[in-house]
Amino acid sequence: MTRLKGILLALCVYVNIANAVQYADDLPPGPYCGARRNGCCAGRVDGCSAPIIGTLCYCDDFCDRVRNEDCCPDFQAVCRGNYTVQEIRVCHHRGQYYAYGKTAKENCNICKCEEVGGRVEMLCERNACLIQENIIDAVNQRPDQYQWRASNYTEFWGRRLDEGIKLRLGTLQPHRFVRRMSPVRRIYDPNLLPPQFDSNQKWRGYITPIQDQGWCGASWAMSTTATASDRFAILSEGLERVQLSSQNLLSCNNRGQQSCNGGYLDKAWLFLRKYGIVDENCYPYVGHDDSCRLPKSGNLISARCSLPLNVGRREKYKVGPAYRLGNETDIMYEIMESGPVQATMRVYHDFFTYRSGIYRHTNLATDDRTGYHSVRIVGWGEESDYHGRIQKYWRVANSWGEDWGENGYFKIARGTDECEIESFVLGAWPFTVDPVSKNDI
Ligand SMILES: *[C@@H]1O[C@H](CO)[C@@H](O)[C@H](O)[C@H]1NC(C)=O
Ligand SMILES: *[C@@H]1O[C@H](CO)[C@@H](O)[C@H](O)[C@H]1NC(C)=O
Ligand SMILES: *[C@@H]1O[C@H](CO)[C@@H](O)[C@H](O)[C@H]1NC(C)=O
């Protein structure tokens, strides 16, 4: 009777390791013969075997042959008591065996089976990971304390916190003289502001969809182009529905800006004002640093963009000077009258795991590093919390794709400058053009 050929194939990794108790890198180290209740067998007994990776290995005398590739890796050690050949160097870690030198990834950290003082042990890196299970659990276990829920995101799993801060945010804090920019004054009656407002409902189809910056710190460019795009559509009453190019800003607004490592919002708005930018179709987002494809000046024709048919536009899309909104009700009035505004915010570790509800940062993170981010406030509202108290919120568009948060949006506490979100809020007027008149055709 011949033993199965499949077994020979499966275990051919043992060729030339005769007599050595040695574990091939990709084989679990056992025990095999060591786990048999009836132990090893004399002579050749085909039933004297143990299961190994979907097949069988043998524990009988036949394994004394020189080529014992179908025998269990621990045959010599268990059946012949020959431990002198080679030390078994295996790490046991979280219910798994790892051969010496093998690595495993645990969230954002690499673990390696290494020798430490004569023993082998699994040693792991200790970076703070973007997704921390304990933050998610702590938030979700206390709906009475936190008004938001947290979840794991596949996209963020396995990444370090510092990568998230560097590449998922990307707004540089305004210089002191820019922060002193005085807010515009608006004349309105704060008592007449509605308790709830959503740009997506008032200007259906005009509001820029949720974008995804990818692993590039481009929030400075994305929030600027999205806010400007919304305002082009709103002010033109739908005639200039355009998605402006973030890559145009990312690649071409490079003086004092750091592309995927972040940028200043005042410089971005100044670029839109001085030079203007083209639309997304003409200069699509690639999400990494590359050299500018367009001359700064010039128009849509010299940039070889296709021209809109319904309006007489030749110029790139430009805006007037950006202005700052000073407080909660001014921001509300501005959104209602002119459209979404751009806001900056401090991002704490727990924000990356936000899933739904009204966000307030917690002190659950053990790592207190934070970053600066820019987003687009599209509306506001109120809802009652676990204890029945009314809580006010802003409705905000993020740039982490539609799978994050509430379809790409989040709600954050309003009126308390949560995460500094009310500290530096900007708007700008777009320079729209007239519709194509009969004379032009
Ligand atoms: C133990 O292993 C050594 C080295 O491979 C070999 O020379 C020796 O014959 C083995 N002893 C027994 C009892 O199998
Ligand atoms: C998070 O998601 C990843 C990938 O989808 C998964 O491998 C991981 O086990 C999840 N982590 C937690 C804590 O649920
Ligand atoms: C914000 O400032 C305006 C004046 O610009 C004032 O009328 C309004 O009451 C202020 N709102 C809040 C919430 O302080």
Side-chain angles (χ1 to χ4, degrees):
M1 212 199 213
T2 53
R3 292 181 175 179
L4 291 172
K5 207 175 170 195
I7 297 170
L8 291 169
L9 287 177
L11 298 179
C12 65
V13 285
Y14 286 101
V15 174
N16 301 331
I17 338 179
N19 287 337
V21 178
Q22 189 175 34
Y23 297 127
D25 280 355
D26 53 351
L27 278 182
Y32 304 100
C33 298
R36 277 178 52 77
R37 254 195 299 143
N38 306 328
C40 309
C41 315
R44 174 171 167 168
V45 184
D46 284 350
C48 186
S49 60
I52 182 170
I53 46 171
T55 174
L56 295 170
C57 63
Y58 296 89
C59 304
D60 59 21
D61 285 353
F62 205 65
C63 288
D64 279 334
R65 294 169 313 164
V66 180
R67 290 169 63 89
N68 61 349
E69 58 270 8
D70 57 353
C71 295
C72 297
D74 62 350
F75 171 78
Q76 283 291 331
V78 173
C79 305
R80 295 289 175 265
N82 193 347
Y83 288 94
T84 60
V85 181
Q86 190 178 343
E87 196 189 347
I88 304 173
R89 300 214 292 177
V90 167
C91 297
H92 190 235
H93 178 70
R94 295 183 193 264
Q96 291 234 30
Y97 289 96
Y98 297 92
Y100 176 73
K102 280 268 133 179
T103 58
K105 199 166 180 215
E106 229 165 58
N107 196 348
C108 70
N109 290 306
I110 309 237
C111 302
K112 188 167 185 198
C113 180
E114 287 184 88
E115 188 170 335
V116 210
R119 302 189 311 135
V120 287
E121 224 178 89
M122 209 68 172
L123 297 183
C124 298
E125 297 172 335
R126 305 182 68 147
N127 299 303
C129 299
L130 201 47
I131 297 283
Q132 298 269 181
E133 208 169 351
N134 55 328
I135 297 182
I136 299 177
D137 292 346
V139 167
N140 293 342
Q141 275 158 18
R142 296 293 304 272
D144 56 325
Q145 188 174 350
Y146 308 111
Q147 270 125 52
W148 57 283
R149 315 248 332 141
S151 84
N152 180 12
Y153 289 102
T154 307
E155 179 71 11
F156 293 167
W157 181 257
R159 294 285 192 152
R160 295 188 313 268
L161 173 62
D162 60 343
E163 292 177 280
I165 290 176
K166 183 159 179 255
L167 300 174
R168 279 285 169 178
L169 312 179
T171 300
L172 302 173
Q173 252 187 304
H175 290 304
R176 222 174 325 128
F177 63 89
V178 176
R179 281 208 303 273
R180 280 202 304 259
M181 192 171 149
S182 57
V184 290
R185 292 259 171 269
R186 294 268 186 262
I187 312 297
Y188 60 93
D189 181 353
N191 299 314
L192 296 182
L193 293 167
Q196 192 136 323
F197 181 84
D198 185 356
S199 296
N200 279 299
Q201 277 165 23
K202 174 156 180 189
W203 298 292
R204 200 169 287 279
Y206 291 7
I207 305 301
T208 310
I210 293 296
Q211 296 167 283
D212 191 350
Q213 64 188 81
W215 294 97
C216 163
S219 70
W220 65 274
M222 288 213 154
S223 61
T224 303
T225 53
T227 305
S229 304
D230 291 351
R231 285 161 171 249
F232 267 100
I234 292 167
L235 193 73
S236 69
E237 295 179 336
L239 272 172
E240 295 216 77
R241 257 190 264 178
V242 61
Q243 189 173 343
L244 296 174
S245 163
S246 307
Q247 192 67 40
N248 191 169
L249 264 186
L250 201 60
S251 299
C252 307
N253 179 17
N254 32 34
R255 187 177 285 264
Q257 302 285 55
Q258 295 169 24
S259 193
C260 281
N261 290 328
Y264 293 104
L265 302 182
D266 54 304
K267 290 188 200 295
W269 285 110
L270 195 62
F271 189 90
L272 252 75
R273 181 183 168 192
K274 257 175 104 174
Y275 305 107
I277 55 173
V278 302
D279 59 285
E280 178 74 21
N281 286 335
C282 187
Y283 204 153
Y285 189 66
V286 290
H288 57 79
D289 231 326
D290 63 356
S291 52
C292 180
R293 261 178 33 199
L294 294 179
K296 277 200 178 103
S297 45
N299 59 19
L300 294 183
I301 299 171
S302 64
R304 298 210 198 95
C305 300
S306 46
L307 299 173
L309 301 173
N310 57 336
V311 288
R313 173 173 289 282
R314 301 289 177 269
E315 289 304 301
K316 289 185 187 171
Y317 295 86
K318 292 184 178 174
V319 301
Y323 49 82
R324 187 170 166 201
L325 286 318
N327 65 28
E328 179 193 352
T329 50
D330 283 3
I331 297 168
M332 291 160 76
Y333 183 73
E334 170 74 12
I335 297 173
M336 209 170 82
E337 289 298 304
S338 313
V341 293
Q342 181 183 48
T344 55
M345 66 184 283
R346 183 166 297 288
V347 167
Y348 294 81
H349 192 175
D350 57 12
F351 183 70
F352 291 98
T353 58
Y354 169 91
R355 168 56 75 189
S356 61
I358 301 178
Y359 176 78
R360 278 185 187 81
H361 80 275
T362 70
N363 52 13
L364 292 169
T366 46
D367 192 304
D368 58 8
R369 275 175 291 180
T370 63
Y372 219 54
H373 190 41
S374 51
V375 291
R376 189 168 40 120
I377 307 183
V378 303
W380 66 85
E382 296 175 353
E383 65 187 35
S384 41
D385 67 9
Y386 187 87
H387 305 281
R389 292 175 304 218
I390 294 290
Q391 302 288 345
K392 301 190 296 180
Y393 64 83
W394 296 113
R395 189 163 160 70
V396 189
N398 200 354
S399 46
W400 296 347
E402 287 186 344
D403 292 338
W404 183 87
E406 300 182 339
N407 303 314
Y409 288 87
F410 63 98
K411 298 203 279 276
I412 186 169
R414 165 166 59 102
T416 52
D417 200 19
E418 177 62 39
C419 298
E420 303 164 37
I421 199 160
E422 287 149 24
S423 291
F424 196 66
V425 176
L426 300 177
W429 285 94
F431 290 137
T432 54
V433 297
D434 294 330
V436 176
S437 72
K438 288 201 181 74
N439 300 342
D440 296 337
I441 300 175

